[in-house]
Amino acid sequence: MSSPAGRLPHLDVLKALAAQIIVLHHLVSYGPIARAAHAALPLLAGAMHQYGRMSVQIFLVVGGYLSARGLSPRGQALQAAVPELLWRRYLRLVLPFLAALALTLGISGLIASSWPELVPADISVGQLLAHALLLHDVLGYEALTVGAWYVAIDLQLFALLVGLLWLARRGWRHPSRLVGGPVLVAAAALASAWVFNRQPELDAYAPYFFASYGLGALVHWLGLSRHRRAGLLLLAVAVSAALMVEWRDRLALALATALWLSWAQARHAEGRQLLPAALASAFASAATPSYALFLLHFPVLLLSNALLAHLPGATPEAGLVLLVATWLLANGLAVPFHRWVEAPAARFDPLAWLPRLQWAPRPASRR
């Protein structure tokens, strides 16, 4: 949907802002450009380095919202076949990821002799295969690019949500009711907030992050209910109580994001304009290639850092100029990458030519 009228402006705002913040966080965290930024603007660069990474929680909440909207738009049990859903999600994530990873490794090879600071010293076949399967963190391999962990966690979270909705389909005789799937998701989200998210050693697995992802899904479903406010209040109290037991900045941000998203969703459902048309269009343009920007900015940063490292007598001000140029170039390249790599990947299926693969679920038994 290219026109602002066909989009969800509140989601565009969150996606666009989160993508830009995480890019700026990486720009002030790696290499000579980061050192120049901290020298020239220590307070601003320090704050972005310290807190910018938290914007990933916004992506998690938005991801949960969109997945719930796509998988179970009315809160009903899962209707599509599980293998097809997981396969298509994997392709949609991994094909652009591998393209960006290949670009990153190619640039790493070019600058390895002059700037080995962020270039992998040794890459094994097993490490490459683990990245292709999005299992590098689970198998204990070092990530070959920043943000690789998020791509893997996104697939895990989607699979967990699909699994819960599949369980609802198996356990409830009336899958059209707004009860089965959302109840299971709420239970899993609260289990994450109260138990799994308090175990840092689990941060390579979906249950650690499902509190944020589940909040996004529940915001979508609560927006369909007559008891939206009461349900949202109960959810906010339960998560706030978990934060009182053990405070976590990231979970607090996820809760705040979910509450704002619920408010913005209600305004949108009432037909009330959230943003002026021109601003909504700008956010839509920035949000569309947000995943492409997330994947592509690091290889651009590698090149820029290598350039700065070779500039004789480079000043912090020169580093700031190069930082801005890197940010602009990454945003510019994200648009064609989205159009020519990410968007085709969403439609590509290498198994589609196999006629014997039937993804459709079997008809339910009449017994």
Side-chain angles (χ1 to χ4, degrees), residues 42-56:
L43 293 180
L44 182 59
M48 187 60 68
H49 173 73
Q50 181 69 24
Y51 300 108
R53 70 188 72 184
M54 292 173 57
S55 64
V56 170

Side-chain angles (χ1 to χ4, degrees), residues 72 74-79 165 168 172-183 221 224:
S72 179
R74 304 300 304 175
Q76 73 272 30
L78 190 68
Q79 300 300 309
L165 294 175
W172 272 264
R173 290 183 177 273
H174 302 285
S176 62
R177 289 183 179 180
L178 183 63
V179 57
V183 169
W221 289 320
L224 308 174

